[in-house]
Amino acid sequence: CVSARSVGQLQLLWKLAGAMVEKITAFTSEDLVVVATAYSSLEKVHHGLLNVIALVLADEDDDRMLTPSLAVEVIAAFARAKYPLPLLITEVRRTLLHPMSQTAGLSSDTCAAQLSPAAAVVALSSLSSLDALTQPLLGELLAAALAPAPVSMTGSGDVPAVEMLTRGQLPSLPALCALCRWAVGVNPTPNASEEDQLVSDIRWG
């Protein structure tokens, strides 16, 4: 854990951040996300380092691109730092809404829809805390978070798992609980634009 550090340790971490920026080309996208996660946990946020990381990950001419899982990790880091950087948010949205594949002009599911339920809830929580959850992403992430549990997790006793799935197509209990915790904690945003309308406008039931 890097959150509780002495003044001397923070100074050293700041020097290390400067060295990392100088050698930024030596780091992979995975490295950059790990660094962002670590520095976002500090009591004093190094916005300069986070800015550089966002610039690299959003650069279309750079080979170091976000994968869906890395997009979730990095937006969680920026949410932890309470830093709604538009450049990074835009890149995360683009990554998660990108089609998985395209064949004969027909798009398949988006990357967001392919996330695990746990990752989808993390993305929902992080984006909503940054007031960055759009309607398209909301739909895709909710679908991923509520995805039916694997057959091995739903079967019990004499009732075949496949039959249980056809009865209700229910998500796993841990995923459902995590989604409920997120929904309860969402803050309303009455001034959001139509495109960026958040979960506060959803009517359950």
Side-chain angles (χ1 to χ4, degrees), residues 5 18 20 22 25 38 49 57 62-63 74 79 93 95 99 106 113 121 129 157 161 164-165 167 176 178 183 187 201:
R5 298 288 179 176
M20 283 187 283
E22 292 178 1
T25 56
L49 178 60
L57 295 177
D62 198 300
D63 293 335
V74 77
R93 286 173 173 169
T95 299
L106 298 177
V121 173
S129 71
M164 293 183 70
L165 285 175
R167 287 179 182 178
L176 189 58
N187 293 320
D201 288 333

Side-chain angles (χ1 to χ4, degrees), residues 61-127:
D61 297 324
D62 198 300
D63 293 335
R64 294 168 292 182
M65 302 179 67
L66 287 173
T67 62
S69 59
L70 288 178
V72 173
E73 290 183 44
V74 77
I75 198 62
F78 276 67
R80 189 180 304 111
K82 297 180 174 61
Y83 189 30
L85 185 64
L87 178 67
L88 191 280
I89 289 172
T90 298
E91 183 61 19
V92 168
R93 286 173 173 169
R94 187 195 67 78
T95 299
L96 294 180
L97 288 176
H98 193 275
M100 289 293 294
S101 63
Q102 291 184 336
T103 304
L106 298 177
S107 299
S108 66
D109 290 341
T110 64
C111 293
Q114 300 299 317
L115 292 172
S116 68
V121 173
V122 170
L124 283 167
S125 177
S126 302
L127 288 164

Side-chain angles (χ1 to χ4, degrees), residues 144 158 175:
D158 297 328

